[in-house]
Amino acid sequence: MEHKLFSPITFKEVTLKNRIVMSPMCMYACEPEDGTVQDFHVTHYESRAVGQVGLIMLEATAVQPEGRISTKDLGIWCEKHIEGLKKVSDRIHTHGAKSSIQLAHAGRKANLPNDILAPSAIAFNENYKTPNAMSIDQINETIQSFKVAADRANQAGFDVIEIHAAHGYLINQFLSPLTNKRTDSYGGAKENRYRFLSEILEAIKTIWKAPIFVRISADEYHKDGNNMEDFIYYAEQLKKQGVSLIDCSTGGVVPATIQPFPGYQVPKAEILKKHVAIPTGAVGLITSSIQAEEVLQNNRADLIFLGRELLRNPYWAKQAANELQFDLDAPKSYERGWL
Ligand code: FNR
């Protein structure tokens, strides 16, 4: 049987050489705390490109300084960030991988000294600040920040952007009835709760023509949260708005105890793919080539996002290729050791 893990896939004009994606992972490594790329980031992301990952996605990168999860987050809120980000993207390209950046705003989950923002003034839990409910002006400014960030991502040479609408961060806070108690046109029915994300996408699309992925939390682990019908509605809207892929994660909206198991989030990617006919990414405790291959062969998702496994093993792609008996191209300088 033909392997799918090492088959290329094209989104708009961007062809990934295989289905392996480095899942966005905050490194909290900005020192000084001004959001600029450090040597560590270049080494960290380039290593996975040497390891033949098809798409390298940079961690949640803040579109506004007050949208950082911590003071050590990467940023894309000012012009000076472009240079370092371009260096990472260029280094990734050198090894035949494509580059992506996750644009993010933490909302009420920002752990910062300043005031924080959210759709409604409800704290995540007692360890977090109570956010200020955003004014319409602040909503519009934030939408603009996503647009300007996409323009900077374009200048830095990224191939794909991902909008972080998962894990209980700002966009997710608008989507969820648990965190969005607004009475204006951004709150109430799901059509209204989706408006913030919709407007961000429309703003970005005026300047960004390449693929856009959106990461959502497709389970809120709470009976009053968004349900599968709501997620199908969101996925339909994302498809209508031209989003290339939904990256299906879960959780983080409200405190919840979950017991993850291998592939625990794959069914979400599968349901959205089947119901809405939109490409999806599967993520979460996918660690073996067989597991990844099963997801792809059965059309449950189109891309495999690997997080912690790639922290442990930047050469996971090589290991998977050996297991699947696929002849993976070696980085030129490694040919003599690539058995
Ligand atoms: C993450 N995750 C994450 N997700 C995201 O959308 N943006 C981010 O910046 C981060 N940051 C982050 C940091 C670290 C250290 C970890 C371990 C995780 C979640 C990550 O992308 C992935 O969805 C989960 O880790 C589940 O996949 P794995 O690790 O089981 O393959």
Side-chain angles (χ1 to χ4, degrees):
M1 199 197 297
E2 276 291 298
H3 301 134
K4 271 190 109 175
L5 189 58
F6 293 98
S7 63
I9 182 168
T10 300
F11 299 97
K12 296 193 165 176
E13 307 288 301
V14 177
T15 299
L16 311 182
K17 64 183 171 185
N18 60 46
R19 309 300 181 95
I20 307 168
V21 183
M22 180 173 184
S23 200
M25 283 177 285
C26 281
M27 292 289 105
Y28 306 116
C30 289
E31 200 79 66
E33 298 176 344
D34 63 356
T36 50
V37 163
Q38 307 297 299
D39 288 348
F40 167 76
H41 296 106
V42 181
T43 307
H44 170 65
Y45 291 112
E46 184 174 7
S47 306
R48 277 70 194 176
V50 172
Q52 301 305 304
V53 169
L55 180 67
I56 311 276
M57 191 173 293
L58 269 61
E59 62 204 80
T61 302
V63 301
Q64 289 178 348
E66 56 275 31
R68 289 174 293 174
I69 300 165
S70 82
T71 53
K72 293 189 190 308
D73 290 16
L74 275 184
I76 190 163
W77 68 81
C78 66
E79 296 296 301
K80 78 166 182 188
H81 291 135
I82 297 172
E83 187 184 348
L85 292 170
K86 181 165 187 332
K87 186 169 179 189
V88 181
S89 178
D90 287 350
R91 295 309 306 164
I92 289 171
H93 288 153
T94 307
H95 308 286
K98 300 293 186 200
S99 64
S100 175
I101 185 166
Q102 191 186 47
L103 303 182
H105 191 302
R108 72 172 186 164
K109 287 178 94 177
N111 190 357
L112 299 170
N114 47 273
D115 282 354
I116 61 171
L117 296 170
S120 304
I122 310 165
F124 179 73
N125 66 19
E126 61 286 359
N127 299 322
Y128 284 81
K129 285 185 182 171
T130 300
N132 295 328
M134 289 166 83
S135 66
I136 295 292
D137 280 351
Q138 286 169 325
I139 288 177
N140 288 331
E141 277 163 28
T142 309
I143 292 168
Q144 275 307 306
S145 299
F146 272 94
K147 174 181 165 180
V148 175
D151 188 30
R152 294 192 181 118
N154 189 30
Q155 292 176 55
F158 287 96
D159 302 293
V160 173
I161 54 178
E162 177 166 285
I163 307 300
H164 198 348
H167 301 166
Y169 295 115
L170 184 64
I171 298 173
N172 199 171
Q173 290 157 32
F174 273 88
L175 290 175
S176 176
L178 300 171
T179 45
N180 182 345
K181 305 291 181 191
R182 297 181 74 92
T183 51
D184 61 10
S185 63
Y186 290 92
K190 60 181 180 303
E191 291 78 6
N192 283 355
R193 302 197 306 271
Y194 181 75
R195 191 178 311 279
F196 183 57
L197 174 53
S198 169
E199 291 181 358
I200 287 172
L201 286 168
E202 289 310 313
I204 287 176
K205 279 170 16 187
T206 60
I207 52 96
W208 177 271
K209 306 300 171 196
I212 302 173
F213 294 178
V214 175
R215 174 168 274 198
I216 62 167
S217 278
D219 192 334
E220 300 189 344
Y221 303 108
H222 191 292
K223 65 177 177 35
D224 299 325
N226 279 308
N227 59 31
M228 224 348 124
E229 240 173 71
D230 298 319
F231 293 121
I232 288 172
Y233 168 78
Y234 298 139
E236 283 166 351
Q237 302 311 305
L238 293 171
K239 183 180 176 185
K240 277 188 205 153
Q241 290 189 274
V243 164
S244 291
L245 175 134
I246 302 177
D247 170 10
C248 297
S249 189
T250 68
V253 186
V254 289
T257 312
I258 61 163
Q259 282 173 333
F261 52 88
Y264 68 110
Q265 296 175 145
V266 176
K268 310 297 175 191
E270 182 175 15
I271 291 171
L272 295 183
K273 185 172 168 59
K274 301 236 153 97
H275 276 79
V276 183
I278 184 166
T280 58
V283 66
L285 285 181
I286 301 174
T287 54
S288 80
S289 56
I290 303 295
Q291 211 187 341
E293 200 55 34
E294 183 278 327
V295 171
L296 297 170
Q297 289 290 350
N298 290 313
N299 250 324
R300 305 176 72 195
D302 300 84
L303 293 179
I304 303 295
F305 284 63
L306 299 177
R308 290 161 291 181
E309 187 60 23
L310 276 180
L311 294 184
R312 292 186 283 268
N313 182 6
Y315 297 102
W316 187 87
K318 175 60 179 154
Q319 182 185 309
N322 286 356
E323 287 164 2
L324 298 174
Q325 298 182 332
F326 176 81
D327 189 12
L328 184 67
D329 282 347
K332 186 102 192 78
S333 306
Y334 288 18
E335 274 168 1
R336 288 171 65 184
W338 203 253
L339 300 171

